[in-house]
Amino acid sequence: MSAHAPDHSLDSFGDAAASATRVTPGNALRPEDIAIAPEKPSEEVAQYALRLGDDALILSQRLSHWISRAPELEEDIALGNIALDTLGHARSFLSYAGHAWDKTEDDLAYWREEEEFRSAWMVEQPNGDFGVTIARQLVMSVFQYLLYTELLDSSDATLAAIAAKALKEVDYHRDHAIQWTVRLGDGTEESHARMQAALDLVWPYVDELFDDDELIDAVGSAGVRPSSLRETFDKHIAEVLDEATLTLPDVPRARGGGRRGEHTEHLGYILAEMQVLARKHPGATW
C-alpha cells in the first residue's frame, strides 16, 4: 500500500468514520456493526441473546456501584474495568436481539419494564460487602467463561463472534475472582469467616443459571444448553474452594424465575436508577 492510499481496513465494520470511542481495536465485531448487519436473528435466537445481554447488563450495573467504594484504589479500578467489559458484552448481545425487532440496544436497556427483563436472580442481588461481590463474581465469571467457550461453536455466526471477544475479557474476570476468593478464604480468621458467609449467601441463586427450558430447546445448536455446563462448573468451583479452604455451601435453592420475567424486589431499584435519565429526557443525545 502506498503512503497516500486510503485505508479501507475498517470499511466492512459499520461506519469507517466512527469516533475513536466506537472503534474496537483490530477487526472485532462491534455493536454498531451488529445493528446494521443485513442478516437478522430468528425470534428464538433474539430471545436467547436478550437473556445473555440482560445478565451482563444487570451485573455491570451492580459492579459499577463499587466505583469509589472499593476497599483499595487498585480494586476500585479493577471492578470498574470489569463493569465496563461486562457492559460491552451487554451492548453486543442486546444489539443483536434488538436487530430482530428493529430496536436499538438503548431501547432494550432503557425502555423495557421490569417483567420484560430476562436476567437471572443472581445478578440482581445486592452487592453486600466485598466478599459477597467476589463470591458472585466467582460464580458468574466461571459460568460465563464456560458458556462463551461453548458458544464459540454456535451455528449462529454473530453469537459466536460476540462470544469470542467476550471470552478474552471474562478470562481475566475469572482470574480476578479466583485470586480474591483464595486470598480471603485462606487469609485471616475474619476474612475466612466472611468469605464463607458470602458464599452461603450467594449459593441459593446458582442453580437457576443451569436450568434448561423451552427456549434452549428451540434455539438448538445456536445456543448452549446450560445444564451441560454444570459438571465442569462444579469441578472448577470445587478446586478453587479447596485452595481457599472454604466449604461448598449446603443451602436450599432459591425459586428463581428471572428467565420468565419474574424477579426479586431488587431489580426494580436497579432499573429505576439506570433508566431515569433516558426516561426524563427522551431522545436526548450527548
Side-chain angles (χ1 to χ4, degrees), residues 175-231:
D175 181 64
H176 175 267
I178 289 173
Q179 288 192 41
W180 268 109
T181 300
V182 172
R183 180 177 176 183
L184 295 173
D186 196 30
T188 66
E189 182 177 342
E190 174 72 11
S191 72
H192 175 89
R194 293 179 70 166
M195 194 63 212
Q196 184 64 59
L199 281 169
D200 293 345
L201 191 62
V202 163
W203 209 257
Y205 306 102
V206 170
D207 285 349
E208 183 185 13
L209 298 172
F210 299 94
D211 286 344
D212 299 331
D213 58 13
E214 294 179 355
L215 177 61
I216 297 301
D217 295 334
V219 81
S221 61
V224 176
R225 186 166 291 277
S227 62
S228 69
L229 306 174
R230 188 60 192 262
E231 183 177 353

Side-chain angles (χ1 to χ4, degrees), residues 74-90:
E74 186 174 356
E75 274 311 297
D76 205 312
I77 296 171
L79 290 173
N81 283 336
I82 292 172
L84 284 173
D85 287 345
T86 309
L87 182 61
H89 309 162

Side-chain angles (χ1 to χ4, degrees), residues 17-24:
S19 70
T21 59
R22 289 179 54 195
V23 176
T24 299

